[in-house]
Amino acid sequence: MRQFRPLDLLHLRAVVDAAIAPGGEEFTYELAAGDGSSVLWRGYENAGDPRPLTRGPHDHKPRYAPDQTQIAFLRGEGGASQIYLLDRRGGEAMPFTRLRFGVCDFAWSPDSRAIAAVTPIGPEGPLPLAADADAHPAPAGAVHALLLMQMDGTWRQLSPDGVDCAHPAFSADGRRIACLVRRPRDPAACLAGLPTDGGIAQCLVPAEFAPGPADFSPDGALAFAAQPIGALAPALYTVSAAGGEPQPYGTALPEGLAPTLRQAPVYAADGGSLYTLLGEDGTWRLAEVRPQGDYRLRTPAGLSVRRFALDDAGSRAALVVEEHVAPARFELRDPAGRLQLRSRHDDPALTGVHRIMANDLPLPGGGHAHIYLPEAATPIPSVLLASRRPLGFSVQAQALASHGLAVIAAPSGDLHAALGTALATLPQLDRERFGIAAEGDDALLALPLLEDGRAVAAAFTNLPQTAPVCHPSASDAAGYRSAVLLMDNAETLSDLKTLPARLLPAVAELRRFPEEHGPACTWRPSAQAVRLSLEAEWLVRYLAQ
């Protein structure tokens, strides 16, 4: 058995998204490979292993038509995907949209005669592609318009000019679409209703309420999760389709359970309950919540669900399941939570590769971090890993831990608390030597961790150009002993003079990756493997000083 290596990421296969047919007998999921490609796989209940449905190379976000005749999905990469339609009886997928900047998200109408599509637009509005042209990523600052696209190819824009839309959802009668709407110069989004007949958009839940994506009940009400200002955790709410004061859905959930804000809750077919993901001890479980306040967890403890889809009866659940030692997989479960099918996409090249389990690290205030503890001599140097999603499998965490480093993975805003909790509860950690690994905007939030001069090493990848402005340090450089590694694969840091003056004496190395490895934050897998390997080796070297 050998340790996990960064190059192993080229052999990984991860399930990203899943859909289930309204009748529940068929399901489809997106499988992403380590080389950046993704294809759709299809399976049937009690019919053996799933099989490839599309050939890719970049197919994602499958969605079944309510009349069960077609599957819609996005095909393309680089933020310029188009909607394709595939007849469930067979045949080739056919393009449905040809928009200059592609489509980011979409939703079927209840009668399957139209699709609501979210597309980036420029000042001239949504533009169709010329016959011989290819879609390309939207320009910086582009807003996302909501288009209603009929099956006959006609379409119209529903969202007002200059308004940014996300997460569309149709009402049961097809007359309204709910989506999160961000108005010009407003950093937060309200929950709005847009009439499909072209009427005036109405903000139903104000941005101050911090609503998430919503779902319509059969009678037209909206359910959503939100975390208003001053609330300690998100909660479920409902609001009338005509607007008004949002009302809590049922009674408060027990302390420690809170609904997700990243996926809309889903109404049962009779409207008598809501399905959502509830966070519990750092994992997410599918739950059925009733308006009386009682709830039932539909997935077992220890299983963290990233996304879910239900058939129209709510009897079968298609799940994307995460764990720390392997990429996300697909599971099909029945109403009692019993496993009916599990995807298997292990690459033989990873047979016998040792992966390190992560332990939960509860934080003050109810947050969660995770720590990967290798088998190493104590005291163990540690690395704070800024992670937007610390729950799932992390190639970066595995690579660092395989080099004998304890890896503390937490959202960038919780790094201070994660470090304090780890040092207070784990005596085997080295109290004097810890490093930081952060990328992009997370690096800006991690920079203040260097101010006390305790970090021995910091690997900041693709540090944004705004770092000098965003780093509010007034401390003196005297006595500062941190060694800082800046790894840049584009022109983000054209000169060391762009760094805060206080950091200049501390720069130990500057690594640059050639331009052909891609623009910042869109690494090719081979370049990502090289970067992770260099990062781990560099941190080990400087933490050993």
Side-chain angles (χ1 to χ4, degrees):
M1 181 174 288
R2 64 170 176 82
Q3 294 288 339
F4 186 90
R5 298 188 299 241
L7 281 172
D8 289 328
L9 74 86
L10 301 178
H11 301 288
L12 297 176
R13 305 289 184 269
V15 174
V16 180
D17 202 353
I20 190 167
E25 75 284 355
E26 180 184 318
F27 57 85
T28 302
Y29 58 85
E30 172 195 346
L31 183 69
D35 62 2
S37 65
S38 57
V39 297
L40 302 183
W41 285 60
R42 177 166 63 180
Y44 302 89
E45 184 185 13
N46 302 321
D49 293 334
R51 295 180 178 275
L53 176 65
T54 64
R55 294 191 295 268
H58 301 286
D59 298 339
H60 53 290
K61 203 180 282 288
R63 300 289 183 265
Y64 284 89
D67 66 5
Q68 306 190 44
T69 60
Q70 299 184 93
I71 302 172
F73 62 94
L74 296 182
R75 171 170 287 175
E77 62 175 333
S81 301
Q82 305 290 349
I83 299 175
Y84 276 66
L85 299 180
L86 181 63
D87 193 311
R88 286 181 64 191
R89 294 170 299 182
E92 291 293 325
M94 302 299 293
F96 177 65
T97 62
R98 282 187 56 81
L99 295 167
R100 176 175 295 189
F101 301 130
V103 175
C104 302
D105 197 5
F106 67 93
W108 280 100
S109 66
D111 60 7
S112 303
R113 295 180 180 177
I115 289 178
V118 176
T119 177
I121 62 172
E124 66 278 9
L127 292 175
L129 274 176
D132 57 348
D134 293 323
H136 53 85
V143 300
H144 296 79
L146 183 68
L147 309 183
L148 184 63
M149 314 196 76
Q150 305 293 335
M151 287 295 112
D152 61 7
T154 60
W155 57 271
R156 66 175 180 272
Q157 182 176 333
L158 298 182
S159 57
D161 291 339
V163 169
D164 198 80
C165 298
H167 303 291
F170 275 91
S171 60
D173 60 11
R175 298 172 61 184
R176 297 176 70 82
I177 299 175
C179 61
L180 294 179
V181 166
R182 184 174 288 105
R183 302 183 185 278
R185 295 177 296 278
D186 191 343
C190 75
L191 180 59
L194 286 75
T196 55
D197 61 4
I200 299 174
Q202 178 186 5
C203 186
L204 305 176
V205 180
E208 294 78 13
F209 216 77
D215 184 42
F216 279 99
S217 70
D219 62 4
L222 280 163
F224 60 96
Q227 187 171 1
I229 296 175
L232 297 179
L236 292 171
Y237 295 87
T238 60
V239 68
S240 166
E245 185 69 23
Q247 300 298 317
Y249 181 82
T251 57
L253 292 166
E255 185 176 353
L257 281 178
T260 181
L261 291 168
R262 69 173 181 256
Q263 183 177 356
V266 176
Y267 269 106
D270 61 2
S273 59
L274 277 177
Y275 292 89
T276 186
L277 298 180
L278 295 181
E280 179 186 44
D281 297 330
T283 61
W284 295 94
R285 299 177 66 181
L286 178 63
E288 181 182 6
V289 184
R290 301 186 61 81
Q292 296 83 1
D294 57 318
Y295 66 95
R296 181 166 63 102
L297 295 171
R298 290 273 301 263
T299 52
L303 197 73
S304 189
V305 180
R306 180 177 176 182
R307 291 193 62 83
F308 73 95
L310 303 173
D311 63 12
D312 51 8
S315 60
R316 298 175 186 85
L319 308 175
V320 178
V321 175
E322 296 182 305
E323 57 184 354
H324 295 288
V325 294
R329 64 178 182 266
F330 171 85
E331 289 190 356
L332 184 70
R333 290 184 176 264
D334 68 9
R338 291 185 294 261
L339 180 66
Q340 295 181 292
L341 184 142
R342 174 180 293 165
S343 65
R344 301 183 185 278
H345 297 286
D346 296 335
D347 191 300
L350 299 180
T351 302
V353 174
H354 175 63
R355 303 170 198 181
I356 298 173
M357 287 291 295
N359 299 309
D360 186 47
L361 197 64
L363 303 179
H368 283 266
H370 286 85
I371 183 164
Y372 298 74
L373 282 171
E375 297 177 2
T378 57
I380 307 173
S382 56
V383 172
L384 291 168
L385 175 60
S387 174
R388 288 181 174 86
R389 292 179 52 254
L391 294 176
F393 179 75
S394 169
V395 176
Q396 192 173 15
Q398 292 290 337
L400 292 169
S402 67
H403 280 71
L405 302 173
V407 183
I408 305 167
S412 53
D414 291 334
L415 289 178
H416 281 89
L419 177 64
T421 301
L423 293 178
T425 57
L426 299 168
Q428 63 267 52
L429 296 186
D430 194 316
R431 264 54 180 169
E432 300 298 326
R433 295 180 298 162
F434 73 87
I436 304 166
E439 299 184 22
D441 292 337
D442 286 325
L444 301 180
L445 296 175
L447 278 172
L449 280 162
L450 299 176
E451 292 184 0
D452 61 7
R454 293 176 58 201
V456 177
F460 292 150
T461 308
N462 297 328
L463 192 68
Q465 235 171 351
T466 52
V469 177
C470 295
H471 184 59
S473 175
S475 60
D476 195 327
Y480 189 80
R481 68 180 185 87
S482 296
V484 180
L485 170 65
L486 299 168
M487 304 180 74
D488 174 43
N489 69 323
E491 297 302 320
T492 308
L493 293 172
S494 58
D495 195 292
L496 284 178
K497 293 178 182 178
T498 62
L499 289 173
R502 190 181 73 83
L503 295 184
L504 286 176
V507 174
E509 294 185 22
L510 176 65
R511 298 264 187 181
R512 293 190 188 279
F513 283 93
E515 191 69 26
E516 61 264 25
H517 282 176
C521 299
T522 56
W523 301 78
R524 292 181 184 175
S526 57
Q528 178 81 330
V530 172
R531 195 266 295 182
L532 291 175
S533 181
L534 286 172
E535 179 184 81
E537 292 170 3
W538 187 91
L539 283 165
V540 167
R541 176 154 48 94
Y542 276 91
L543 288 173
Q545 292 180 354

